[in-house]
Amino acid sequence: MIKTRLEQLRALMQRKGIQAFYINGSDPHLSEYLPDRWQTRAFISGFTGSYGWLAITANDAALWTDSRYFLQAGEQLKGTGIRMMKARLPETPDVTTWLISKLPEHSKVGINPECVSFSLYKKMKQVFSQHQVEITETGDLLNEIWENRPPFPSGEIYGFEQKYTGESRKSKIARIRKELQMKGAGMQIITALDDIAWTFNLRGNDIEYNPVFSSYAIIGQENAILFANTESISATLKTELENDGISLHEYASVFSSLKGMKAFYPVYIDPDRTNCRIISSLPSSCKIVEGISIPCYLKAQKNEVEIGNIRKAMISDGIALTEFWYWFEDNINKGKIITEYDVTVQLSNFRKKQKNYKGDSFFPVSAYNRNGAIVHFHVEKEDALAITGNGLLLLDSGAHYLIGTTDITRTILAGEPTDRQKNDFTLVLKGLIALSETVFPEGTCGCHLDILARKALWKHGLNYGHGTGHGVGFFLNVHEGPMEIRQGFNSQPMQTGQVLSNEPGIYRENEYGIRIENIMVCVEKENTGFGKFLGFETLTLFPIDTRMIETRLLSEEEIQWINSYHQQVYDRLAPLLPVSLKAFLREKTKAI
């Protein structure tokens, strides 16, 4: 099927007069997770991971993805004629370099301008022009070969109350306008769906696991316009939005609205989060100011109401996870056969019992033994492994509650561990503790902190390929910027109120994977004559499997951290648990 689709695309490319076609693997909002209509990467390649892009020529094709998906992509691309390129490795050419090596001079590379960021377009155009290769906007070629393509998403759009958000939409819009003034711009075009949902205190369900809705927005000094499927908004909510000074326009009218705009003032855009068609729709006389989307960095700093709600969400999640772990061990001890898929179903069922539950925040990673080495393993019922004998279950999961979004990973023991497994687990745990405990001066970026999570592993010649920490939305996308903790440079500093993950790991191919993840909030620690110092407070409330710890590798301070954390977990969760679960939790949190 994949080969047939590639043949159809190549025939279409020939008719269009282009020698290559670039597929960014995203939607018009450059989202990480996609509506069914925009699963272009999976449609043309068969690769179902959430990260990757493709280049297709008349005789060759390649897909780039990162270390989370090397094993998965390698399997899913077999027999397709598409080679896998290991992104972010120094020896791997980027897509422009690869295409230049494949194409003669005066070739044309086609793109769908709605799904390519303005920043990437500029970079590709500059590099291609140096080699007499042209980049051309062909539109959505896949639409011409995709039979029964899913329709545009049009789910319900609903209001998100201020008792959860801690701030009204009018206040948020006023803050955006103030930021625009400081940047010398008169308006911002907002294209990222989580930015729009945050700005207008709205949520939706157009993308699985992400409570967002298809939309664009314009915030000016005198106006605020939301472009969305207006039929998805109730009459009551329409009135509420209009009373807050927000004009509602149909989703597809954004391009014509921009073309008809009078360029009285500079327009602010985020070049990494704005597609090319948006830019080409602006009048040629319009001055563009580039920078990080204002809502992106405003929403990253959670307010006191949001952080207070997140703390409550962590209690709900901790209770559900404790119920799950009890169920898991009870069934394992009774000799019942449980599969990786059973784990995902049962964990979701326990979370559904919690108040304010709104769904999982991503598809759970439930990976036993060798599957744990596949960082973002996606289990299907028909090929799930049975959890039998001795081994490690890597369980990465999360939930959306009206009071916050969670993301947690635990590696849980079944049977007896090997010495190497205990050593690996403990080294990962040392990294988690080091990052949890660090204190750093204001202005420090995530790339400066990343080494703390890796130091113990590096000392033993070990490492992991993914980032250490990502921002987490508030009943929004589980992955959120602009800050992150990873080796690659990111100029965005850590700031108080930012909520991030802390998730070091290690993966031994065809054997097992180990990852431990907590969510933490950046807080002020002290203010001295040397400046303001920040640190992290752990928010996640669930035990770490102490059966996997090799205590000889830990310092007294690290042991103290584990015991203190487990006491906190017990104190916060135990009063809300029945007697049997309280005793179970006491055992899992006892001091080492």
Side-chain angles (χ1 to χ4, degrees):
M1 181 182 294
I2 298 301
K3 285 186 174 181
T4 300
R5 291 172 181 172
L6 287 172
E7 289 172 3
Q8 292 173 332
L9 178 59
R10 285 175 170 136
L12 184 57
M13 288 162 52
Q14 188 174 19
R15 293 198 299 271
K16 297 283 186 180
I18 60 172
Q19 286 66 54
F21 189 61
Y22 172 75
I23 299 172
N24 198 43
S26 191
D27 65 359
H29 308 279
L30 307 173
S31 306
E32 178 184 12
Y33 295 98
L34 305 171
D36 289 343
R37 179 174 182 82
W38 297 105
Q39 296 283 353
T40 52
R41 180 174 48 230
F43 170 79
I44 201 66
S45 71
F47 170 61
T48 58
S50 66
Y51 183 81
W53 54 95
L54 297 101
I56 297 158
T57 69
N59 302 306
D60 209 343
L63 177 143
W64 284 255
T65 190
D66 66 13
S67 64
R68 295 172 296 171
Y69 296 113
F70 288 166
L71 296 179
Q72 178 181 337
E75 287 296 317
Q76 291 182 327
L77 294 178
K78 283 181 180 176
T80 64
I82 301 172
R83 66 178 75 189
M84 184 189 70
M85 309 293 283
K86 295 183 176 182
R88 295 177 173 167
L89 296 186
E91 65 270 22
T92 303
D94 62 22
V95 67
T96 49
T97 302
W98 185 84
L99 281 169
I100 288 166
S101 72
K102 299 291 178 181
L103 299 173
E105 290 185 357
H106 308 298
S107 294
K108 293 182 178 181
V109 178
I111 62 166
N112 177 3
E114 287 190 41
C115 296
V116 173
S117 72
F118 185 49
S119 60
L120 178 59
Y121 171 81
K122 289 191 296 181
K123 178 182 177 183
M124 293 176 78
K125 184 176 181 179
Q126 179 184 20
V127 175
F128 284 150
S129 65
Q130 296 170 359
H131 297 270
Q132 286 72 55
V133 174
E134 180 184 345
I135 187 169
T136 181
E137 298 180 9
T138 60
D140 187 2
L141 294 190
L142 295 186
N143 201 49
E144 300 187 39
I145 64 172
W146 193 337
E147 295 183 8
N148 302 314
R149 184 173 185 174
F152 283 92
S154 57
E156 178 192 5
I157 300 171
Y158 56 94
F160 192 38
E161 297 180 66
Q162 192 172 331
K163 68 180 180 180
Y164 302 121
T165 67
E167 185 178 12
S168 69
R169 59 178 68 95
K170 291 179 72 173
S171 172
K172 292 178 178 179
I173 291 170
R175 284 208 285 152
I176 293 170
R177 286 170 174 158
K178 184 176 180 180
E179 291 286 319
L180 283 169
Q181 282 184 326
M182 294 193 306
K183 296 177 185 300
M187 59 174 272
Q188 180 183 348
I189 303 170
I190 309 175
T191 59
L193 301 185
D194 56 335
D195 285 358
I196 295 169
W198 177 85
T199 298
F200 294 99
N201 280 353
L202 299 172
R203 297 293 187 269
N205 53 20
D206 282 355
I207 299 180
E208 189 175 19
Y209 305 119
N210 293 352
V212 297
F213 53 95
S214 297
S215 54
Y216 293 97
I218 293 175
I219 303 293
Q221 294 299 340
E222 304 296 333
N223 63 347
I225 306 172
L226 176 63
F227 298 88
N229 179 13
T230 58
E231 292 183 0
S232 298
I233 305 174
S234 69
T236 301
L237 184 54
K238 284 180 181 177
T239 300
E240 184 181 319
L241 292 167
E242 289 165 358
N243 288 341
D244 283 337
I246 297 160
S247 301
L248 298 175
H249 293 217
E250 287 301 324
Y251 174 78
S253 69
V254 63
F255 303 110
S256 59
S257 293
L258 292 174
K259 286 181 184 295
M261 187 179 71
K262 295 180 180 179
F264 291 132
Y265 38 67
V267 175
Y268 187 82
I269 62 108
D270 185 333
D272 293 328
R273 296 159 72 88
T274 304
N275 71 55
C276 293
R277 190 178 173 193
I278 287 288
I279 303 302
S280 61
S281 297
L282 290 168
S284 58
S285 59
C286 190
K287 180 183 177 182
I288 294 175
V289 179
E290 296 184 13
I292 293 173
S293 171
I294 295 170
C296 178
Y297 62 75
L298 290 181
K299 77 175 185 297
Q301 282 190 275
K302 309 302 186 271
N303 59 46
E304 291 182 4
V305 172
E306 289 173 315
I307 294 171
N309 279 322
I310 293 170
R311 294 185 196 280
K312 297 174 186 176
M314 292 298 175
I315 292 174
S316 295
D317 219 45
I319 292 170
L321 287 158
T322 301
E323 290 180 327
F324 161 78
W325 201 3
Y326 180 87
W327 167 87
F328 177 80
E329 290 208 346
D330 183 55
N331 280 273
I332 291 291
N333 293 337
K334 290 177 179 176
K336 294 185 178 179
I337 301 299
I338 298 173
T339 70
E340 296 163 318
Y341 185 79
D342 295 332
V343 165
T344 67
V345 172
Q346 288 299 326
L347 182 52
S348 289
N349 286 339
F350 285 121
R351 282 187 164 123
K352 287 174 185 175
K353 293 165 54 180
Q354 296 300 311
K355 184 181 178 182
N356 296 314
Y357 173 81
K358 297 293 288 185
D360 291 348
S361 54
F362 56 95
F363 191 91
V365 176
S366 173
Y368 188 58
N369 281 350
R370 67 175 184 270
N371 286 338
I374 304 173
V375 179
H376 275 196
F377 178 68
H378 189 116
V379 66
E380 301 291 350
K381 184 176 182 178
E382 56 273 14
D383 56 11
L385 290 180
I387 301 170
T388 59
N390 298 322
L392 304 181
L393 173 67
L394 192 158
L395 184 57
D396 185 354
S397 67
H400 289 302
Y401 303 92
L402 284 173
I403 52 176
T405 295
T406 69
D407 183 2
I408 177 174
T409 307
R410 289 293 184 266
T411 304
I412 297 174
L413 177 66
E416 296 295 327
T418 66
D419 289 341
R420 189 173 70 165
Q421 287 172 340
K422 291 181 69 174
N423 284 349
D424 285 350
F425 183 93
T426 307
L427 295 176
V428 170
L429 177 57
K430 286 172 73 71
L432 178 113
I433 295 170
L435 187 56
S436 303
E437 286 282 83
T438 187
V439 177
F440 50 90
E442 188 176 35
T444 299
C445 300
C447 55
H448 304 138
L449 301 175
D450 184 81
I451 188 176
L452 296 170
R454 300 177 191 268
K455 182 180 177 182
L457 290 166
W458 285 358
K459 191 174 180 180
H460 291 79
L462 305 171
N463 198 15
Y464 53 95
H466 55 76
T468 298
H470 58 81
V472 180
F474 179 77
F475 184 36
L476 266 179
N477 296 359
V478 74
H479 294 157
E480 181 179 274
M483 69 295 167
E484 58 185 353
I485 302 173
R486 64 182 318 122
Q487 289 179 274
F489 179 71
N490 183 318
S491 62
Q492 296 305 303
M494 297 294 107
Q495 295 179 305
T496 57
Q498 291 176 342
V499 175
L500 300 104
S501 68
N502 175 2
E503 48 183 312
I506 183 172
Y507 310 92
R508 295 191 181 273
E509 188 171 348
N510 294 320
E511 293 185 56
Y512 57 82
I514 292 169
R515 185 162 67 252
I516 310 171
E517 176 188 16
N518 282 338
I519 299 301
M520 53 194 189
V521 60
C522 184
V523 297
E524 182 176 341
K525 289 291 187 177
E526 62 177 332
N527 203 332
T528 74
F530 295 91
K532 185 184 292 185
F533 286 80
L534 310 179
F536 297 115
E537 177 191 341
T538 298
L539 298 174
T540 301
L541 294 169
F542 186 63
I544 295 163
D545 196 342
T546 55
R547 297 171 297 176
M548 291 291 296
I549 294 175
E550 180 56 73
T551 54
R552 65 177 177 80
L553 296 177
L554 296 175
S555 67
E556 287 298 322
E557 290 79 9
E558 288 168 331
I559 291 173
Q560 183 179 352
W561 184 93
I562 295 166
N563 290 338
S564 176
Y565 174 68
H566 278 160
Q567 188 61 53
Q568 180 189 19
V569 170
Y570 183 81
D571 291 344
R572 299 293 298 277
L573 299 184
L576 303 172
L577 296 173
V579 173
S580 58
L581 286 179
K582 190 179 296 186
F584 176 79
L585 184 64
R586 178 74 281 176
E587 176 64 22
K588 294 301 182 185
T589 57
K590 68 182 181 181
I592 61 171

